[in-house]
Amino acid sequence: MSAIIELENVSMMFNLSTERVDNIKEYVIRMLKRQLFFREFWALRDISFKLEKGDSLGVIGLNGSGKSTLLKVVAGILKPTKGRVMVRGSVAPLIELGAGFDADLSARENIFLNGAILGYSREYMEEKFDEIVSFAELQDFIDVPVKNFSSGMTARLGFAIATMNIPDILIVDEVLAVGDYKFQEKSFARMERIINSGATVLFVSHSVEQVKKMCNKALWLEHGKMKMFGDVNVVCDAYSNQ
Amino acid sequence: MEQKLISYVKTFFKYQNLLKELVVRDIKVRYRKSVLGLLWTVLNPLLMMTVITIVFSTIFKQSIPNFPIYFLSGSLIFSFNSESTSNALYSIISNASLIKKVYIPKYLFPLSKIVSGLVNLGFSLIAMFIVMLFTNTPFYSTLLLLPIPIAYVFVFSTGLGLILSAATVFFRDIAHFYNVFILAWTYFTPIFYPASILPEGAMAVMKLNPMYHYINYVRDLVLNGVFPSIRENMICMAISLITLTIGIIVFYRKQDRFVLYI
């Protein structure tokens, strides 16, 4: 079987100049002082792995180990400084729920806007509209501008849109800690359904138990380097016992 | 190479709907909470025209016969370019939250601003036609050719918008500078004065102003009922295509770095 996600020697470099240089005067001064491209920071170094269809990968590691950066590289938001990323299939990124919302527009308008951001047609969204609204439990607030929503409501709507159909690849970045326990249960159930239907999942979490429960493979990152990659139990046990 | 091109075209069609939604959002948000709503797109140029006509028509009475239409035809085309490029300038930085979290072809943001400018222009043209009715301006058949100069300006503004939106990510100064630049550009384009009042030296420089060519083109169609020469068409087309090419190259080269600076 061919790999659905393949990373080859992926490295990601950020320029950590202490202040952001975004005006011309500063730029010229720094260029003269030769401070412009000063502090390089490699968030990821030489990451290579392959995932096949149906795999679910848990990414574990301490804060700042490059987990979120890795997800963003796979989602296509960041382009790696070096290396190659191959992703075959549709991607549903749950990196920050409700990222594409326009606060001034109503929930109804935002559903269509967000659907378009994910690349769906208007007709398709109309078909899915009722399902999204009922999953997000926002029937009574559908024509209210999103700026008046609570953060839980926004997250619910974002989750409902992003997971409305079964993607080939689902990317989840610790977003499930939103909403009340009822909604959390509901969203976990939906994610499990997506995993069981054969989608490939990338999942970042600090909770080793959660990773063990949901994934069959794990990747342990430390300071942007791959410390371990393989079966979820082996990697998670090594991580907990370090 | 060929495969790459095909995948570009595919993504363009995939995200066509997003372009539409972005334009609709733009127009909706702009007129939200105003009582007259979309009617403002027609009213705005009408009121502007009234003010400018009252102020300037006495000064240029001899040299410009049909001042209201002379002004409107120039100003509509000019503000299509100036407004849509000014909006495009902010389009990348103001969508930072989106660009950081979802993959979207980034050129959609500046492009959507130019398209919503185009929609606005469509409404404003209604205002011009209304004024033409009231001032007994003849409707020449050349009016049907108006889409040609509008297409030229659209391509030109898209190119300029791409350059500005990419450059502003790295240098926020450009946003402040461009306001002043637009003001100077407004005065240096014969919108409410006839180009004939310019001294010879200034006229030579004027020929380097793209908007001068586009506005002349529109006025030829609207006021004089003549189709501009092939030469003039070539000039307009060349300016548009060169600007667009530069825009695409600049944007394409820089777009992967946007996310690190916004």
PDB file of all heavy atoms in Angstrom, chain A residues 14 20 22-24 76-79 96 100 102 104 109 120-122, chain B residues 17 21 25 28 32 98-101 103 170-173 256 259-260:
ATOM      1  N   PHE A  14      12.944  28.908  11.884  1.00  0.00           N
ATOM      2  CA  PHE A  14      12.343  30.215  12.118  1.00  0.00           C
ATOM      3  C   PHE A  14      13.448  31.211  12.381  1.00  0.00           C
ATOM      4  O   PHE A  14      14.494  30.864  12.909  1.00  0.00           O
ATOM      5  CB  PHE A  14      11.404  30.182  13.326  1.00  0.00           C
ATOM      6  CG  PHE A  14      10.155  29.395  13.087  1.00  0.00           C
ATOM      7  CD1 PHE A  14      10.016  28.114  13.594  1.00  0.00           C
ATOM      8  CD2 PHE A  14       9.126  29.932  12.340  1.00  0.00           C
ATOM      9  CE1 PHE A  14       8.866  27.382  13.373  1.00  0.00           C
ATOM     10  CE2 PHE A  14       7.972  29.215  12.121  1.00  0.00           C
ATOM     11  CZ  PHE A  14       7.843  27.941  12.638  1.00  0.00           C
ATOM     12  N   ARG A  20      10.422  41.917  15.701  1.00  0.00           N
ATOM     13  CA  ARG A  20      10.090  41.746  14.311  1.00  0.00           C
ATOM     14  C   ARG A  20      10.490  43.011  13.553  1.00  0.00           C
ATOM     15  O   ARG A  20      10.155  44.115  13.956  1.00  0.00           O
ATOM     16  CB  ARG A  20       8.596  41.512  14.165  1.00  0.00           C
ATOM     17  CG  ARG A  20       8.272  40.884  12.868  1.00  0.00           C
ATOM     18  CD  ARG A  20       7.052  40.053  12.989  1.00  0.00           C
ATOM     19  NE  ARG A  20       5.975  40.778  13.665  1.00  0.00           N
ATOM     20  CZ  ARG A  20       4.801  40.224  13.892  1.00  0.00           C
ATOM     21  NH1 ARG A  20       4.575  38.999  13.534  1.00  0.00           N
ATOM     22  NH2 ARG A  20       3.845  40.904  14.481  1.00  0.00           N
ATOM     23  N   ASP A  22       9.731  45.186  10.778  1.00  0.00           N
ATOM     24  CA  ASP A  22       8.742  45.355   9.730  1.00  0.00           C
ATOM     25  C   ASP A  22       8.623  46.810   9.298  1.00  0.00           C
ATOM     26  O   ASP A  22       7.610  47.241   8.796  1.00  0.00           O
ATOM     27  CB  ASP A  22       7.391  44.765  10.115  1.00  0.00           C
ATOM     28  CG  ASP A  22       6.893  45.313  11.424  1.00  0.00           C
ATOM     29  OD1 ASP A  22       7.478  46.291  11.909  1.00  0.00           O
ATOM     30  OD2 ASP A  22       5.916  44.760  11.949  1.00  0.00           O
ATOM     31  N   ASN A  23       9.654  47.606   9.540  1.00  0.00           N
ATOM     32  CA  ASN A  23       9.633  48.887   8.860  1.00  0.00           C
ATOM     33  C   ASN A  23      11.003  49.160   8.266  1.00  0.00           C
ATOM     34  O   ASN A  23      12.013  48.602   8.687  1.00  0.00           O
ATOM     35  CB  ASN A  23       9.150  50.020   9.775  1.00  0.00           C
ATOM     36  CG  ASN A  23      10.095  50.271  10.916  1.00  0.00           C
ATOM     37  OD1 ASN A  23      11.186  50.757  10.726  1.00  0.00           O
ATOM     38  ND2 ASN A  23       9.653  49.910  12.114  1.00  0.00           N
ATOM     39  N   ILE A  24      10.982  50.008   7.262  1.00  0.00           N
ATOM     40  CA  ILE A  24      12.157  50.138   6.413  1.00  0.00           C
ATOM     41  C   ILE A  24      13.354  50.717   7.174  1.00  0.00           C
ATOM     42  O   ILE A  24      14.482  50.258   7.017  1.00  0.00           O
ATOM     43  CB  ILE A  24      11.814  51.001   5.181  1.00  0.00           C
ATOM     44  CG1 ILE A  24      10.820  50.223   4.312  1.00  0.00           C
ATOM     45  CG2 ILE A  24      13.053  51.341   4.381  1.00  0.00           C
ATOM     46  CD1 ILE A  24      10.164  51.034   3.238  1.00  0.00           C
ATOM     47  N   GLY A  76       0.059  21.955   5.415  1.00  0.00           N
ATOM     48  CA  GLY A  76       0.378  22.847   4.299  1.00  0.00           C
ATOM     49  C   GLY A  76       0.384  24.310   4.677  1.00  0.00           C
ATOM     50  O   GLY A  76       0.518  25.181   3.828  1.00  0.00           O
ATOM     51  N   ILE A  77       0.216  24.622   5.971  1.00  0.00           N
ATOM     52  CA  ILE A  77       0.210  26.022   6.399  1.00  0.00           C
ATOM     53  C   ILE A  77       1.626  26.572   6.390  1.00  0.00           C
ATOM     54  O   ILE A  77       1.873  27.688   5.974  1.00  0.00           O
ATOM     55  CB  ILE A  77      -0.412  26.146   7.804  1.00  0.00           C
ATOM     56  CG1 ILE A  77      -1.849  25.637   7.766  1.00  0.00           C
ATOM     57  CG2 ILE A  77      -0.346  27.567   8.303  1.00  0.00           C
ATOM     58  CD1 ILE A  77      -2.417  25.314   9.116  1.00  0.00           C
ATOM     59  N   LEU A  78       2.571  25.766   6.846  1.00  0.00           N
ATOM     60  CA  LEU A  78       3.974  26.150   6.797  1.00  0.00           C
ATOM     61  C   LEU A  78       4.654  25.337   5.713  1.00  0.00           C
ATOM     62  O   LEU A  78       4.378  24.149   5.554  1.00  0.00           O
ATOM     63  CB  LEU A  78       4.669  25.865   8.136  1.00  0.00           C
ATOM     64  CG  LEU A  78       4.263  26.720   9.321  1.00  0.00           C
ATOM     65  CD1 LEU A  78       4.912  26.174  10.587  1.00  0.00           C
ATOM     66  CD2 LEU A  78       4.685  28.154   9.113  1.00  0.00           C
ATOM     67  N   LYS A  79       5.538  25.976   4.994  1.00  0.00           N
ATOM     68  CA  LYS A  79       6.308  25.249   4.002  1.00  0.00           C
ATOM     69  C   LYS A  79       7.672  24.947   4.608  1.00  0.00           C
ATOM     70  O   LYS A  79       8.343  25.842   5.106  1.00  0.00           O
ATOM     71  CB  LYS A  79       6.469  26.107   2.751  1.00  0.00           C
ATOM     72  CG  LYS A  79       6.912  25.286   1.582  1.00  0.00           C
ATOM     73  CD  LYS A  79       6.531  25.959   0.286  1.00  0.00           C
ATOM     74  CE  LYS A  79       6.753  24.978  -0.843  1.00  0.00           C
ATOM     75  NZ  LYS A  79       6.396  25.527  -2.133  1.00  0.00           N
ATOM     76  N   GLU A  96      -7.008  25.309  14.954  1.00  0.00           N
ATOM     77  CA  GLU A  96      -7.687  26.164  15.924  1.00  0.00           C
ATOM     78  C   GLU A  96      -9.116  26.292  15.465  1.00  0.00           C
ATOM     79  O   GLU A  96      -9.373  26.718  14.353  1.00  0.00           O
ATOM     80  CB  GLU A  96      -7.027  27.530  16.017  1.00  0.00           C
ATOM     81  CG  GLU A  96      -7.592  28.338  17.143  1.00  0.00           C
ATOM     82  CD  GLU A  96      -6.741  29.558  17.417  1.00  0.00           C
ATOM     83  OE1 GLU A  96      -5.507  29.412  17.507  1.00  0.00           O
ATOM     84  OE2 GLU A  96      -7.311  30.636  17.527  1.00  0.00           O
ATOM     85  N   GLY A 100     -11.496  30.525  10.812  1.00  0.00           N
ATOM     86  CA  GLY A 100     -11.904  31.272   9.634  1.00  0.00           C
ATOM     87  C   GLY A 100     -13.162  32.093   9.824  1.00  0.00           C
ATOM     88  O   GLY A 100     -13.714  32.585   8.855  1.00  0.00           O
ATOM     89  N   ASP A 102     -15.656  35.134  10.555  1.00  0.00           N
ATOM     90  CA  ASP A 102     -15.674  36.589  10.533  1.00  0.00           C
ATOM     91  C   ASP A 102     -16.638  37.025  11.627  1.00  0.00           C
ATOM     92  O   ASP A 102     -17.827  36.706  11.586  1.00  0.00           O
ATOM     93  CB  ASP A 102     -16.155  37.084   9.164  1.00  0.00           C
ATOM     94  CG  ASP A 102     -16.007  38.580   9.038  1.00  0.00           C
ATOM     95  OD1 ASP A 102     -16.509  39.291   9.935  1.00  0.00           O
ATOM     96  OD2 ASP A 102     -15.401  39.045   8.069  1.00  0.00           O
ATOM     97  N   ASP A 104     -18.146  39.613  12.396  1.00  0.00           N
ATOM     98  CA  ASP A 104     -19.302  40.451  12.086  1.00  0.00           C
ATOM     99  C   ASP A 104     -20.427  39.698  11.396  1.00  0.00           C
ATOM    100  O   ASP A 104     -21.542  40.199  11.313  1.00  0.00           O
ATOM    101  CB  ASP A 104     -18.880  41.628  11.193  1.00  0.00           C
ATOM    102  CG  ASP A 104     -18.140  42.675  11.992  1.00  0.00           C
ATOM    103  OD1 ASP A 104     -18.529  42.894  13.151  1.00  0.00           O
ATOM    104  OD2 ASP A 104     -17.169  43.247  11.478  1.00  0.00           O
ATOM    105  N   GLU A 109     -23.979  32.708   7.952  1.00  0.00           N
ATOM    106  CA  GLU A 109     -23.048  33.164   6.909  1.00  0.00           C
ATOM    107  C   GLU A 109     -21.662  32.562   7.111  1.00  0.00           C
ATOM    108  O   GLU A 109     -20.974  32.224   6.151  1.00  0.00           O
ATOM    109  CB  GLU A 109     -22.977  34.689   6.920  1.00  0.00           C
ATOM    110  CG  GLU A 109     -24.256  35.326   6.425  1.00  0.00           C
ATOM    111  CD  GLU A 109     -24.416  36.770   6.870  1.00  0.00           C
ATOM    112  OE1 GLU A 109     -23.929  37.140   7.963  1.00  0.00           O
ATOM    113  OE2 GLU A 109     -25.034  37.524   6.128  1.00  0.00           O
ATOM    114  N   TYR A 120     -15.292  23.562  -0.047  1.00  0.00           N
ATOM    115  CA  TYR A 120     -16.558  22.942  -0.437  1.00  0.00           C
ATOM    116  C   TYR A 120     -17.442  23.937  -1.170  1.00  0.00           C
ATOM    117  O   TYR A 120     -17.363  25.137  -0.926  1.00  0.00           O
ATOM    118  CB  TYR A 120     -17.304  22.417   0.786  1.00  0.00           C
ATOM    119  CG  TYR A 120     -16.558  21.346   1.527  1.00  0.00           C
ATOM    120  CD1 TYR A 120     -16.072  21.564   2.802  1.00  0.00           C
ATOM    121  CD2 TYR A 120     -16.324  20.112   0.924  1.00  0.00           C
ATOM    122  CE1 TYR A 120     -15.365  20.587   3.474  1.00  0.00           C
ATOM    123  CE2 TYR A 120     -15.621  19.132   1.594  1.00  0.00           C
ATOM    124  CZ  TYR A 120     -15.146  19.369   2.870  1.00  0.00           C
ATOM    125  OH  TYR A 120     -14.453  18.405   3.519  1.00  0.00           O
ATOM    126  N   SER A 121     -18.314  23.408  -2.013  1.00  0.00           N
ATOM    127  CA  SER A 121     -19.200  24.282  -2.777  1.00  0.00           C
ATOM    128  C   SER A 121     -20.391  24.699  -1.915  1.00  0.00           C
ATOM    129  O   SER A 121     -20.690  24.089  -0.890  1.00  0.00           O
ATOM    130  CB  SER A 121     -19.707  23.562  -4.018  1.00  0.00           C
ATOM    131  OG  SER A 121     -20.639  22.582  -3.635  1.00  0.00           O
ATOM    132  N   ARG A 122     -21.069  25.752  -2.371  1.00  0.00           N
ATOM    133  CA  ARG A 122     -22.203  26.267  -1.620  1.00  0.00           C
ATOM    134  C   ARG A 122     -23.345  25.243  -1.557  1.00  0.00           C
ATOM    135  O   ARG A 122     -23.975  25.074  -0.509  1.00  0.00           O
ATOM    136  CB  ARG A 122     -22.694  27.563  -2.266  1.00  0.00           C
ATOM    137  CG  ARG A 122     -23.598  28.326  -1.363  1.00  0.00           C
ATOM    138  CD  ARG A 122     -23.916  29.713  -1.825  1.00  0.00           C
ATOM    139  NE  ARG A 122     -24.801  30.290  -0.825  1.00  0.00           N
ATOM    140  CZ  ARG A 122     -24.412  31.095   0.146  1.00  0.00           C
ATOM    141  NH1 ARG A 122     -23.157  31.440   0.216  1.00  0.00           N
ATOM    142  NH2 ARG A 122     -25.248  31.561   1.034  1.00  0.00           N
TER     143      ARG A 122
ATOM    144  N   ASN B  17     -15.251  28.980  -5.173  1.00  0.00           N
ATOM    145  CA  ASN B  17     -16.359  29.273  -4.273  1.00  0.00           C
ATOM    146  C   ASN B  17     -15.910  30.160  -3.117  1.00  0.00           C
ATOM    147  O   ASN B  17     -16.623  31.064  -2.699  1.00  0.00           O
ATOM    148  CB  ASN B  17     -16.920  27.945  -3.750  1.00  0.00           C
ATOM    149  CG  ASN B  17     -18.129  28.153  -2.883  1.00  0.00           C
ATOM    150  OD1 ASN B  17     -18.959  28.997  -3.182  1.00  0.00           O
ATOM    151  ND2 ASN B  17     -18.214  27.406  -1.795  1.00  0.00           N
ATOM    152  N   GLU B  21     -17.311  33.713  -1.852  1.00  0.00           N
ATOM    153  CA  GLU B  21     -17.737  33.984  -0.473  1.00  0.00           C
ATOM    154  C   GLU B  21     -16.994  35.185   0.115  1.00  0.00           C
ATOM    155  O   GLU B  21     -17.571  35.973   0.853  1.00  0.00           O
ATOM    156  CB  GLU B  21     -17.510  32.752   0.414  1.00  0.00           C
ATOM    157  CG  GLU B  21     -18.376  31.559   0.079  1.00  0.00           C
ATOM    158  CD  GLU B  21     -19.840  31.738   0.487  1.00  0.00           C
ATOM    159  OE1 GLU B  21     -20.115  32.557   1.373  1.00  0.00           O
ATOM    160  OE2 GLU B  21     -20.696  31.059  -0.101  1.00  0.00           O
ATOM    161  N   ARG B  25     -18.740  38.471   1.448  1.00  0.00           N
ATOM    162  CA  ARG B  25     -18.495  38.919   2.820  1.00  0.00           C
ATOM    163  C   ARG B  25     -18.066  40.377   2.843  1.00  0.00           C
ATOM    164  O   ARG B  25     -18.559  41.175   3.636  1.00  0.00           O
ATOM    165  CB  ARG B  25     -17.388  38.063   3.463  1.00  0.00           C
ATOM    166  CG  ARG B  25     -16.903  38.641   4.777  1.00  0.00           C
ATOM    167  CD  ARG B  25     -15.786  37.857   5.381  1.00  0.00           C
ATOM    168  NE  ARG B  25     -14.496  38.147   4.779  1.00  0.00           N
ATOM    169  CZ  ARG B  25     -13.335  37.804   5.329  1.00  0.00           C
ATOM    170  NH1 ARG B  25     -13.314  37.149   6.467  1.00  0.00           N
ATOM    171  NH2 ARG B  25     -12.206  38.090   4.741  1.00  0.00           N
ATOM    172  N   LYS B  28     -20.998  42.599   2.151  1.00  0.00           N
ATOM    173  CA  LYS B  28     -21.951  42.555   3.273  1.00  0.00           C
ATOM    174  C   LYS B  28     -21.432  43.347   4.463  1.00  0.00           C
ATOM    175  O   LYS B  28     -22.152  44.126   5.071  1.00  0.00           O
ATOM    176  CB  LYS B  28     -22.156  41.104   3.704  1.00  0.00           C
ATOM    177  CG  LYS B  28     -23.355  40.458   3.060  1.00  0.00           C
ATOM    178  CD  LYS B  28     -23.576  39.100   3.696  1.00  0.00           C
ATOM    179  CE  LYS B  28     -24.686  38.366   2.981  1.00  0.00           C
ATOM    180  NZ  LYS B  28     -24.575  36.911   3.184  1.00  0.00           N
ATOM    181  N   ARG B  32     -23.102  46.652   6.258  1.00  0.00           N
ATOM    182  CA  ARG B  32     -23.867  46.196   7.412  1.00  0.00           C
ATOM    183  C   ARG B  32     -24.182  47.386   8.310  1.00  0.00           C
ATOM    184  O   ARG B  32     -23.357  48.247   8.531  1.00  0.00           O
ATOM    185  CB  ARG B  32     -23.036  45.164   8.170  1.00  0.00           C
ATOM    186  CG  ARG B  32     -23.710  44.645   9.405  1.00  0.00           C
ATOM    187  CD  ARG B  32     -23.605  43.150   9.501  1.00  0.00           C
ATOM    188  NE  ARG B  32     -24.228  42.496   8.360  1.00  0.00           N
ATOM    189  CZ  ARG B  32     -24.411  41.168   8.302  1.00  0.00           C
ATOM    190  NH1 ARG B  32     -23.997  40.408   9.279  1.00  0.00           N
ATOM    191  NH2 ARG B  32     -24.970  40.624   7.255  1.00  0.00           N
ATOM    192  N   LEU B  98      -6.284  33.518   9.794  1.00  0.00           N
ATOM    193  CA  LEU B  98      -6.699  32.445   8.892  1.00  0.00           C
ATOM    194  C   LEU B  98      -5.497  31.768   8.245  1.00  0.00           C
ATOM    195  O   LEU B  98      -5.396  30.536   8.205  1.00  0.00           O
ATOM    196  CB  LEU B  98      -7.586  33.070   7.814  1.00  0.00           C
ATOM    197  CG  LEU B  98      -8.535  32.151   7.096  1.00  0.00           C
ATOM    198  CD1 LEU B  98      -9.326  31.354   8.099  1.00  0.00           C
ATOM    199  CD2 LEU B  98      -9.451  32.959   6.217  1.00  0.00           C
ATOM    200  N   ILE B  99      -4.567  32.586   7.762  1.00  0.00           N
ATOM    201  CA  ILE B  99      -3.411  32.053   7.046  1.00  0.00           C
ATOM    202  C   ILE B  99      -2.562  31.173   7.959  1.00  0.00           C
ATOM    203  O   ILE B  99      -1.962  30.205   7.526  1.00  0.00           O
ATOM    204  CB  ILE B  99      -2.593  33.220   6.455  1.00  0.00           C
ATOM    205  CG1 ILE B  99      -3.413  33.893   5.356  1.00  0.00           C
ATOM    206  CG2 ILE B  99      -1.257  32.751   5.913  1.00  0.00           C
ATOM    207  CD1 ILE B  99      -2.815  35.158   4.839  1.00  0.00           C
ATOM    208  N   LYS B 100      -2.564  31.508   9.244  1.00  0.00           N
ATOM    209  CA  LYS B 100      -1.754  30.730  10.186  1.00  0.00           C
ATOM    210  C   LYS B 100      -2.384  29.385  10.518  1.00  0.00           C
ATOM    211  O   LYS B 100      -1.722  28.537  11.102  1.00  0.00           O
ATOM    212  CB  LYS B 100      -1.578  31.519  11.485  1.00  0.00           C
ATOM    213  CG  LYS B 100      -0.504  32.559  11.415  1.00  0.00           C
ATOM    214  CD  LYS B 100      -0.305  33.134  12.787  1.00  0.00           C
ATOM    215  CE  LYS B 100       0.414  34.454  12.717  1.00  0.00           C
ATOM    216  NZ  LYS B 100       0.240  35.205  13.963  1.00  0.00           N
ATOM    217  N   LYS B 101      -3.657  29.222  10.223  1.00  0.00           N
ATOM    218  CA  LYS B 101      -4.320  28.012  10.705  1.00  0.00           C
ATOM    219  C   LYS B 101      -4.883  27.090   9.653  1.00  0.00           C
ATOM    220  O   LYS B 101      -5.144  25.933   9.940  1.00  0.00           O
ATOM    221  CB  LYS B 101      -5.421  28.397  11.692  1.00  0.00           C
ATOM    222  CG  LYS B 101      -4.854  28.590  13.069  1.00  0.00           C
ATOM    223  CD  LYS B 101      -5.531  29.686  13.806  1.00  0.00           C
ATOM    224  CE  LYS B 101      -4.589  30.361  14.768  1.00  0.00           C
ATOM    225  NZ  LYS B 101      -4.976  31.722  15.029  1.00  0.00           N
ATOM    226  N   TYR B 103      -4.731  25.956   5.339  1.00  0.00           N
ATOM    227  CA  TYR B 103      -4.079  26.200   4.064  1.00  0.00           C
ATOM    228  C   TYR B 103      -5.101  26.733   3.057  1.00  0.00           C
ATOM    229  O   TYR B 103      -6.114  26.109   2.801  1.00  0.00           O
ATOM    230  CB  TYR B 103      -3.425  24.930   3.496  1.00  0.00           C
ATOM    231  CG  TYR B 103      -2.984  25.193   2.085  1.00  0.00           C
ATOM    232  CD1 TYR B 103      -1.834  25.940   1.850  1.00  0.00           C
ATOM    233  CD2 TYR B 103      -3.750  24.805   0.998  1.00  0.00           C
ATOM    234  CE1 TYR B 103      -1.468  26.270   0.566  1.00  0.00           C
ATOM    235  CE2 TYR B 103      -3.382  25.131  -0.295  1.00  0.00           C
ATOM    236  CZ  TYR B 103      -2.243  25.866  -0.493  1.00  0.00           C
ATOM    237  OH  TYR B 103      -1.884  26.218  -1.769  1.00  0.00           O
ATOM    238  N   PHE B 170       6.095  42.540   4.831  1.00  0.00           N
ATOM    239  CA  PHE B 170       7.464  42.718   5.307  1.00  0.00           C
ATOM    240  C   PHE B 170       7.738  44.137   5.792  1.00  0.00           C
ATOM    241  O   PHE B 170       8.540  44.339   6.686  1.00  0.00           O
ATOM    242  CB  PHE B 170       8.438  42.308   4.204  1.00  0.00           C
ATOM    243  CG  PHE B 170       8.226  40.886   3.756  1.00  0.00           C
ATOM    244  CD1 PHE B 170       7.554  40.606   2.584  1.00  0.00           C
ATOM    245  CD2 PHE B 170       8.650  39.836   4.557  1.00  0.00           C
ATOM    246  CE1 PHE B 170       7.329  39.291   2.191  1.00  0.00           C
ATOM    247  CE2 PHE B 170       8.420  38.523   4.176  1.00  0.00           C
ATOM    248  CZ  PHE B 170       7.761  38.246   2.998  1.00  0.00           C
ATOM    249  N   PHE B 171       7.060  45.097   5.168  1.00  0.00           N
ATOM    250  CA  PHE B 171       7.254  46.494   5.586  1.00  0.00           C
ATOM    251  C   PHE B 171       5.903  47.160   5.786  1.00  0.00           C
ATOM    252  O   PHE B 171       5.252  47.542   4.819  1.00  0.00           O
ATOM    253  CB  PHE B 171       8.041  47.269   4.538  1.00  0.00           C
ATOM    254  CG  PHE B 171       9.388  46.687   4.258  1.00  0.00           C
ATOM    255  CD1 PHE B 171       9.642  46.044   3.070  1.00  0.00           C
ATOM    256  CD2 PHE B 171      10.398  46.771   5.199  1.00  0.00           C
ATOM    257  CE1 PHE B 171      10.876  45.483   2.818  1.00  0.00           C
ATOM    258  CE2 PHE B 171      11.626  46.217   4.962  1.00  0.00           C
ATOM    259  CZ  PHE B 171      11.871  45.575   3.775  1.00  0.00           C
ATOM    260  N   ARG B 172       5.520  47.323   7.044  1.00  0.00           N
ATOM    261  CA  ARG B 172       4.209  47.926   7.309  1.00  0.00           C
ATOM    262  C   ARG B 172       4.181  49.393   6.910  1.00  0.00           C
ATOM    263  O   ARG B 172       3.122  49.981   6.789  1.00  0.00           O
ATOM    264  CB  ARG B 172       3.838  47.784   8.794  1.00  0.00           C
ATOM    265  CG  ARG B 172       3.880  46.351   9.297  1.00  0.00           C
ATOM    266  CD  ARG B 172       2.776  45.508   8.682  1.00  0.00           C
ATOM    267  NE  ARG B 172       3.140  44.092   8.680  1.00  0.00           N
ATOM    268  CZ  ARG B 172       2.724  43.208   9.563  1.00  0.00           C
ATOM    269  NH1 ARG B 172       1.927  43.583  10.518  1.00  0.00           N
ATOM    270  NH2 ARG B 172       3.105  41.954   9.493  1.00  0.00           N
ATOM    271  N   ASP B 173       5.340  49.995   6.718  1.00  0.00           N
ATOM    272  CA  ASP B 173       5.398  51.413   6.327  1.00  0.00           C
ATOM    273  C   ASP B 173       4.597  51.680   5.067  1.00  0.00           C
ATOM    274  O   ASP B 173       4.057  52.761   4.872  1.00  0.00           O
ATOM    275  CB  ASP B 173       6.828  51.860   6.023  1.00  0.00           C
ATOM    276  CG  ASP B 173       7.815  51.442   7.068  1.00  0.00           C
ATOM    277  OD1 ASP B 173       7.800  50.259   7.438  1.00  0.00           O
ATOM    278  OD2 ASP B 173       8.600  52.288   7.493  1.00  0.00           O
ATOM    279  N   ASP B 256       5.528  31.970   0.679  1.00  0.00           N
ATOM    280  CA  ASP B 256       5.802  30.961   1.701  1.00  0.00           C
ATOM    281  C   ASP B 256       6.359  31.565   2.976  1.00  0.00           C
ATOM    282  O   ASP B 256       6.373  30.926   4.009  1.00  0.00           O
ATOM    283  CB  ASP B 256       6.787  29.927   1.159  1.00  0.00           C
ATOM    284  CG  ASP B 256       6.155  29.107   0.042  1.00  0.00           C
ATOM    285  OD1 ASP B 256       4.919  29.001   0.048  1.00  0.00           O
ATOM    286  OD2 ASP B 256       6.882  28.622  -0.832  1.00  0.00           O
ATOM    287  N   VAL B 259       3.691  33.620   6.402  1.00  0.00           N
ATOM    288  CA  VAL B 259       3.197  33.096   7.677  1.00  0.00           C
ATOM    289  C   VAL B 259       4.191  33.352   8.802  1.00  0.00           C
ATOM    290  O   VAL B 259       3.827  33.425   9.964  1.00  0.00           O
ATOM    291  CB  VAL B 259       2.857  31.592   7.505  1.00  0.00           C
ATOM    292  CG1 VAL B 259       4.080  30.762   7.326  1.00  0.00           C
ATOM    293  CG2 VAL B 259       2.028  31.093   8.657  1.00  0.00           C
ATOM    294  N   LEU B 260       5.457  33.564   8.470  1.00  0.00           N
ATOM    295  CA  LEU B 260       6.462  33.811   9.501  1.00  0.00           C
ATOM    296  C   LEU B 260       6.474  35.278   9.936  1.00  0.00           C
ATOM    297  O   LEU B 260       7.091  35.626  10.929  1.00  0.00           O
ATOM    298  CB  LEU B 260       7.854  33.435   8.996  1.00  0.00           C
ATOM    299  CG  LEU B 260       8.001  32.026   8.422  1.00  0.00           C
ATOM    300  CD1 LEU B 260       9.398  31.812   7.894  1.00  0.00           C
ATOM    301  CD2 LEU B 260       7.669  30.995   9.488  1.00  0.00           C
TER     302      LEU B 260
END
